[in-house]
Amino acid sequence: MKIMDVEMFGGPGKAHFEHVLTADEMHGMNRVYARVTLKPGCAVGYHVHQGDGEDYFILSGQATLDDNHERELILNPGDNFFTPSSRGHSITNNGKEDLVFMALIIYDEQKK
């Protein structure tokens, strides 16, 4: 399991990634499959997906999600949200406890 802390797309703070599988292990079907932790006040900044989509599944904490600058959603444990290709999103932890979620980035077409 690859573990890393990174700043994501200009969001404040760092995101803690625990990669479940590598892209190679997913045989060109997915780019990222990871458990992500955001400390309070941290975020994955706004970004647009091209050629892939991303699903977030909330495990604990509460997320504020910007859906393509069209609406803001609150996600709680058990909620998920999928952002398809050509749309954007950000996810922020505005709560007082860690936000933990699964992130899965799925290619539109299998990479060879």
Side-chain angles (χ1 to χ4, degrees):
M1 179 182 299
K2 181 178 175 184
I3 298 174
M4 55 195 282
D5 294 313
V6 294
E7 293 179 14
M8 296 295 299
F9 304 104
K14 292 187 176 184
H16 177 77
F17 279 79
E18 298 173 52
H19 290 270
V20 177
L21 295 171
T22 66
D24 287 341
E25 290 170 324
M26 293 183 281
H27 306 288
M29 299 299 294
N30 306 304
R31 185 162 52 98
V32 171
Y33 179 37
R35 177 182 160 133
V36 182
T37 302
L38 294 175
K39 296 285 185 192
C42 295
V44 173
Y46 186 83
H47 58 286
V48 176
H49 284 267
Q50 296 295 339
D52 60 31
E54 184 169 20
D55 188 73
Y56 291 145
F57 181 83
I58 308 302
L59 298 172
S60 63
Q62 186 178 73
T64 302
L65 185 124
D66 174 343
D67 176 20
N68 205 52
H69 293 322
E70 295 173 0
R71 62 184 175 154
E72 185 175 277
L73 302 170
I74 301 298
L75 302 178
N76 293 295
D79 292 341
N80 81 294
F81 186 84
F82 181 73
T83 300
S85 185
S86 300
R87 293 185 59 91
H89 64 160
S90 66
I91 188 166
T92 304
N93 182 356
N94 289 321
K96 295 182 182 190
E97 63 182 74
D98 287 356
L99 168 62
V100 182
F101 59 95
M102 299 304 294
L104 176 64
I105 298 179
I106 305 163
Y107 289 121
D108 290 345
E109 296 180 13
Q110 183 175 4
K111 302 293 180 183
K112 300 192 184 206

